[in-house]
Amino acid sequence: EPEVTQTPSHQVTQMGQEVILRCVPISNHLYFYWYRQILGQKVEFLVSFYNNEISEKSEIFDDQFSVERPDGSNFTLKIRSTKLEDSAMYFCASSGEFGSEQYFGPGTRLTVT
Amino acid sequence: QQPVQSPQAVILREGEDAVINCSSSKALYSVHWYRQKHGEAPVFLMILLKGGEQKGHDKISASFNEKKQQSSLYLTASQLSYSGTYFCGTEIGRDDKIIFGKGTRLHILP
């Protein structure tokens, strides 16, 4: 069964450093998403991406964040200058249609020290 | 606007039933239900769309009251594997983002 994959599974970085989280969505999906989940809390929408551009973004997704689909398979989330409060689990998801079921990857646990 | 889920937590014995509710103060286009086990990614359970269309797993049932902007997820004859946190997510419009509630923690005892 096709699945969304994410790398790395755990990333530790120092405050102020840049990090890139990588995702490979399901191959025939067209809509891609990033979510964040602080430990023990709800899943928070960050951004949606379609046709090589951002469809929608939340208030969390400020100028420190950017997304890119550098090739036909990868979808990346970059945090330019990490803060302590960026520590969370970051999930990538993809769907075949906007608003249809989303398939989540296993997540990248980001720890900012 | 974040949907409100109730109850916050439920403890059941295997075989018992549970209902998890999700309500919004805004008119909804759709409600999504996901289950997340500890340390894992959320897994899709069901979508309920305005107008009555539903899509999801056969063993899961849910309802969507469009007038009240409420959805309920029905878990019958619960199994140990049903344990986890259940999130509802709501969309205001067809191309809108999904906003998730805080979740309902379900624990099934043998």
Side-chain angles (χ1 to χ4, degrees), chain B residues 28-79:
Chain B
L28 298 175
Y29 172 76
S30 69
V31 179
H32 301 233
W33 286 98
Y34 286 79
R35 177 173 60 216
Q36 184 179 32
K37 292 186 178 288
H38 183 69
E40 298 181 11
V43 173
F44 168 77
L45 296 176
M46 177 160 284
I47 291 180
L48 303 103
L49 298 169
K50 183 178 172 180
E53 185 181 347
Q54 294 188 2
K55 194 169 16 173
H57 295 284
D58 294 338
K59 293 186 180 178
I60 301 287
S61 66
S63 64
F64 179 21
N65 185 324
E66 293 176 35
K67 286 184 182 176
K68 293 185 177 180
Q69 309 309 327
Q70 291 176 350
S71 177
S72 295
L73 185 71
Y74 304 99
L75 302 169
T76 56
S78 57
Q79 303 170 18

Side-chain angles (χ1 to χ4, degrees), chain A residues 18-33:
Chain A
E18 173 184 287
V19 293
I20 298 176
L21 310 183
R22 292 183 167 78
C23 167
V24 179
I26 293 173
S27 62
N28 61 345
H29 282 182
L30 300 175
Y31 298 88
F32 315 116
Y33 313 85

Side-chain angles (χ1 to χ4, degrees), chain A residues 35 37 39-45 48 56-59 89 91 97-107 109, chain B residues 2 29-30 32 34 36 38-44 47 49 55 87 91 94-103:
Chain A
Y35 292 89
Q37 186 176 35
L39 187 63
Q41 298 188 23
K42 65 173 183 171
V43 176
E44 298 177 289
F45 170 82
S48 58
E56 190 147 11
K57 58 184 181 180
S58 71
E59 312 78 48
M89 183 73 91
F91 291 106
E97 301 171 18
F98 205 94
S100 70
E101 63 268 32
Q102 295 181 19
Y103 294 86
F104 283 72
R109 180 168 297 287
Chain B
Q2 177 183 296
Y29 172 76
S30 69
H32 301 233
Y34 286 79
Q36 184 179 32
H38 183 69
E40 298 181 11
V43 173
F44 168 77
I47 291 180
L49 298 169
K55 194 169 16 173
F87 290 99
E91 283 182 291
R94 187 182 182 278
D95 295 333
D96 200 12
K97 57 185 178 287
I98 298 174
I99 303 296
F100 286 96
K102 291 185 176 181

